[in-house]
Amino acid sequence: MSLPQRPGRPAGTGTRHLVRTAAALTAALALLSPLDTAGAAPAAAPDTSAADVDVRVNTQASLGRMSDTARGVNTAVWDSHMNDPEVADLMKAADVGAMRYPGGSYADIYHWETHTAPGGYVAPGTGFDAFMGTVRATGAQPILIANYGSGTPEEAAGWVRYANVTKDYDAKYWEIGNEIYGNGHYGSGWEHDEHEDKSPREYARQVRAYAEAMKAVDPTVRIGAVLTTPGEWPDGIVAEGDPGDWNHTVLSEVTDVIDFVSVHWYAGGADTTAEDAMARLARLPGELREVRSQLDRYAGADSPRIGIALTEINTNTGGAMLTARPNGLFAADAYLTALENGVFTVDWWNTHNGAGRITTVDGETDYGDMGMLSSGACTGDVCEPAPNTPFHPYYGMKMTSELGTAGDTLVAAASSAQDVSAHAVHRRDGRLSVLLINKDPDAARTVALDYEGFVPSAAAPEVSRYARGDSDITDGTASVSRATVPPYGMLTLTLTPQPGTGPGASDAGAPGTPRLEAVTDTTASLSWEGAAGATRYLVQERDGAHTYVVGETTGTSVTLRNLPPGSTHTVNVLAADASGRRSAPSTPLTFTTGTPPDAPCAVTYHRDTSWGNGFVATVTLRNLSDTPITGWTVDWDWPTDRQSVSSGWNATFHQTGAHVRVTAPEGAGALAPDGGSTASFGFVGANDGPNPQPTVFRLNGAVCSGG
């Protein structure tokens, strides 16, 4: 975010939506054994209360561990209240672990040593040392933005020296600039950048220089590069003279010197409604998955080392519903959705921000303020409450701290209703916490809860509630198997395990994260670090909140076979002790199989141009068999359900759901054998969200190489 009152995003940032998809392995892979049911929860006891939503929680389906920086906020040098003592108290109460400084686009005009921002306002008492006082009082870590726009690698290295050598602040995370892709290179410019060359290639070159200078001072610092969020402007746009769009150009040159990437996500523009924002959150998992796919492409086996930081998030870019109750629901949902999809920190924009357009939402005044806490500012004769009064997004973030903290395991939870979100965390002490978010403003929702891999005790759960009429998170009521969530409300249930069940009852520890050693079109070889007390390991495939055993071994490696070409899989590993009792799951691994090298055909897919929510592509095919092909068809499936063919040429196009079939035009000549000729067709496509290319093409039903 740039300034306290920032205009909407550039044209082309339109709404994009992506829902996560998961593919199960074929039945031939289901190498089931008696261990498959070990530790599984029994069927829930009958309950006569009515339920209109079903939620399934699977503690054997790990989504990763919560980091100590999971919950974060932005702080800005123009915010005169950023270091008020109440701020540290409130953030500590919400288990905030990261605080980002010096504030969005101000970072690219801010000089840390003189505490100045030429062209901008710097509030008294907001210098780096004062900020670090608040960070330490909170128990958090700083995420610092080195000045790229008007700074130098030497200035950044000096800041590292002061922070970590002179003051011993142990500041780990350093971003190189803020939203540098907004420097005007793509036609819209809000980010200050004094470099004559504003291209992604120059940014990549400078990132290398910054990293070298900063790590020469402190080799332990972690350097972050700025990326665009896939599916958001200017993703996919290639400027004149560039070899590719921003992300592909930058990543092709910096993955060996960076430790994380930084992306931002806003649900929409200034007129985004509460319903819009909460619905659009469904596209975030796919966008984050595409970030990881890009890292996989350019970093290869080193990709797991590079983290993803979501360093700005809010419902919209300013001027609309922001402090109201629906944004509190959005905050809780957004933090956990991002963390479940591989992000190590989620940083809300902003701690304080300032009053904007005044509206009424859910019977309350919405101050149009993107902050979590009131700044006490006014719009006309309407003034916010006293400074540091929490707005609803603060309580949304705080509710996530009721769910879990650093070291706990995020696990899969699935809801049968679009307007009821479910998230779950398996705690290190064996308890299970489930967060239910009811986005229906008019009706309470009764939820039936079902568990896999967790056997709850008969004790009533601890319940936290935040709903209409609550001035803070308070106590609620629910049973082990039923919970009624008030309209526009949230409940967190924390259950204790039945004695003698769960990972705590197993003599086996949790295995290490699986590593992909090799992958072909139909196989994947995995390995992992062994666990103490383990006599056998089970490899599981995850499909939503369901898991399936797809491999077993007494060793610490396995090869999965008979995988469909071009298919994506998410797996984790559990250990079993001598009695068959299962450990906690490892963190997950996601991989995609390739295409056969000896295929009878080859397809080349080339994106010629794109503009955020649309693109032009050319597909070229060759027949590699020893006989000619007359009358061809080409089939593929889009990786997301928001990609489509709008119009095309040199062929006939038909799309059903995500499946596309392309038929040769009338009178087309034969495809010569042994690659002796080619056929090409092109089309205009549309994408509402990220635009990954298809993973597998079939020519007359045969899987082709390439892609």
Side-chain angles (χ1 to χ4, degrees):
M1 213 53 196
S2 302
L3 304 172
Q5 297 297 324
R6 172 175 166 181
R9 294 276 178 174
T13 61
T15 308
R16 300 175 179 88
H17 181 92
L18 178 67
V19 293
R20 178 176 52 191
T21 60
L25 295 181
T26 58
L29 284 174
L31 308 176
L32 302 178
S33 80
L35 284 173
D36 292 344
T37 57
D47 194 309
T48 57
S49 61
D52 54 4
V53 181
D54 295 316
V55 165
R56 179 182 180 85
V57 178
N58 187 348
T59 61
Q60 295 182 347
S62 169
L63 305 180
R65 308 275 189 265
M66 293 189 76
S67 71
D68 55 0
T69 55
R71 278 170 287 271
V73 294
N74 279 268
T75 56
V77 292
W78 41 258
D79 173 13
S80 60
H81 293 289
M82 66 176 280
N83 294 313
D84 290 353
E86 300 94 325
V87 172
D89 292 341
L90 286 163
M91 296 305 166
K92 188 172 185 178
D95 194 33
V96 166
M99 305 184 83
R100 184 174 181 253
Y101 176 93
S105 294
Y106 257 64
D108 287 307
I109 60 173
Y110 179 71
H111 299 284
W112 71 272
E113 193 166 15
T114 59
H115 189 47
T116 59
Y121 169 71
V122 175
T126 61
F128 178 55
D129 287 320
F131 162 72
M132 285 304 303
T134 299
V135 170
R136 288 188 158 184
T138 300
Q141 296 184 52
I143 295 180
L144 302 173
I145 317 170
N147 184 340
Y148 177 85
S150 60
T152 64
E154 292 71 28
E155 181 183 33
W159 196 359
V160 172
R161 182 175 295 105
Y162 179 79
N164 292 352
V165 178
T166 303
K167 301 295 289 190
D168 197 26
Y169 286 145
D170 191 26
K172 296 179 182 178
Y173 300 102
W174 299 77
E175 296 178 62
I176 310 304
N178 184 53
E179 297 170 349
I180 302 302
Y181 46 81
N183 61 8
H185 186 65
Y186 298 106
S188 292
W190 64 84
E191 199 74 17
H192 187 77
D193 184 0
E194 296 179 1
H195 295 88
E196 182 177 353
D197 183 352
K198 295 178 171 54
S199 70
R201 177 169 282 173
E202 175 64 12
Y203 175 70
R205 191 184 73 81
Q206 291 286 343
V207 165
R208 299 189 69 86
Y210 273 73
E212 180 180 1
M214 296 164 77
K215 290 193 175 188
V217 175
D218 182 354
T220 69
V221 297
R222 300 173 188 175
I223 302 298
V226 173
L227 297 185
T228 67
T229 303
E232 309 293 334
W233 189 93
D235 174 51
I237 298 175
V238 179
E240 184 177 356
D242 289 344
D245 66 5
W246 182 275
N247 285 11
H248 290 86
T249 302
V250 171
L251 289 177
S252 68
E253 301 186 24
V254 303
T255 55
D256 61 321
V257 298
I258 63 172
D259 304 282
F260 68 98
V261 294
S262 172
V263 294
H264 294 170
W265 196 86
Y266 293 87
D271 294 322
T272 301
T273 66
E275 292 76 14
D276 291 339
M278 289 189 286
R280 290 175 189 172
L281 191 58
R283 73 190 186 202
L284 181 58
E287 294 180 343
L288 293 173
R289 176 59 208 152
E290 182 61 14
V291 174
R292 178 52 63 189
S293 294
Q294 292 173 1
L295 288 170
D296 290 346
R297 174 177 176 179
Y298 291 105
D302 201 33
S303 176
R305 179 188 61 80
I306 301 174
I308 301 173
L310 186 54
T311 52
E312 289 186 22
I313 192 169
N314 209 312
T315 46
N316 60 63
T317 52
M321 177 279 303
L322 290 161
T323 66
R325 183 174 300 279
N327 210 17
L329 306 180
F330 172 89
D333 213 4
Y335 270 96
L336 289 164
T337 297
L339 294 171
E340 291 164 351
N341 286 277
V343 167
F344 71 85
T345 186
V346 184
D347 306 327
W348 189 263
W349 184 272
N350 198 8
T351 302
H352 307 90
N353 205 73
R357 178 156 59 98
I358 306 299
T359 58
T360 300
V361 179
D362 195 40
E364 299 177 309
T365 299
D366 184 280
Y367 298 97
D369 189 323
M370 301 181 77
M372 282 199 161
L373 308 178
S374 171
S375 64
C378 303
T379 295
D381 58 357
V382 178
C383 294
E384 295 181 352
N388 299 312
T389 300
F391 292 132
H392 289 294
Y394 169 80
Y395 292 114
M397 176 180 68
K398 187 178 181 183
M399 181 61 96
T400 71
S401 70
E402 298 286 313
L403 195 70
T405 189
D408 293 340
T409 301
L410 296 147
V411 296
S415 170
S416 64
Q418 289 186 341
D419 57 0
V420 176
S421 292
H423 304 276
V425 169
H426 202 185
R427 301 200 180 212
R428 287 165 294 170
D429 61 9
R431 293 180 299 158
L432 174 67
S433 294
V434 182
L435 172 62
L436 304 172
I437 304 171
N438 180 8
K439 294 173 276 191
D440 187 327
D442 302 315
R445 306 301 296 273
T446 299
V447 177
L449 292 153
D450 180 53
Y451 310 100
E452 182 175 344
F454 181 82
V455 184
S457 73
E462 298 177 12
V463 181
S464 300
R465 185 192 71 206
Y466 186 67
R468 290 178 179 132
D470 295 334
S471 58
D472 200 342
I473 295 171
T474 187
D475 293 337
T477 59
S479 72
V480 168
S481 59
R482 290 288 190 276
T484 299
V485 191
Y488 264 4
M490 297 183 279
L491 288 183
T492 296
L493 292 70
T494 298
L495 305 95
T496 56
Q498 182 176 305
T501 66
S506 176
D507 292 331
T513 305
R515 298 181 297 271
L516 182 64
E517 301 293 350
V519 63
T520 70
D521 56 322
T522 60
T523 67
S525 296
L526 313 175
S527 67
W528 55 88
E529 291 184 9
T535 61
R536 182 175 289 190
Y537 297 94
L538 297 91
V539 179
Q540 294 189 130
E541 167 99 10
R542 177 168 62 83
D543 181 3
H546 295 273
T547 50
Y548 309 89
V549 174
V550 294
E552 295 183 24
T553 180
T554 56
T556 56
S557 63
V558 71
T559 296
L560 305 179
R561 304 184 185 279
N562 300 322
L563 306 176
S567 57
T568 298
H569 309 275
T570 297
V571 297
N572 60 29
V573 183
L574 298 98
D577 65 13
S579 299
R581 295 169 298 194
R582 294 179 179 182
S583 70
S586 72
T587 54
L589 167 73
T590 297
F591 65 88
T592 300
T593 57
T595 54
D598 55 351
C601 50
V603 170
T604 301
Y605 178 94
H606 183 264
R607 191 179 304 144
D608 305 323
T609 186
S610 59
W611 51 92
N613 60 355
F615 61 101
V616 175
T618 298
V619 178
T620 302
L621 36 142
R622 289 186 297 151
N623 169 24
L624 303 181
S625 71
D626 56 7
T627 57
I629 295 177
T630 302
W632 50 261
T633 61
V634 174
D635 292 86
W636 73 81
D637 291 293
W638 291 116
T640 84
D641 65 352
R642 294 303 178 99
Q643 294 170 279
S644 60
V645 174
S646 301
S647 61
W649 51 91
N650 294 341
T652 301
F653 297 81
H654 181 74
Q655 181 166 339
T656 303
H659 184 76
V660 178
R661 168 159 288 191
V662 183
T663 306
E666 186 176 350
L671 280 170
D674 302 319
S677 65
T678 63
S680 295
F681 57 85
F683 63 90
V684 177
N687 58 291
D688 185 13
N691 189 26
Q693 72 178 45
T695 56
V696 65
F697 292 84
R698 288 176 169 82
L699 175 62
N700 288 359
V703 176
C704 301
S705 63

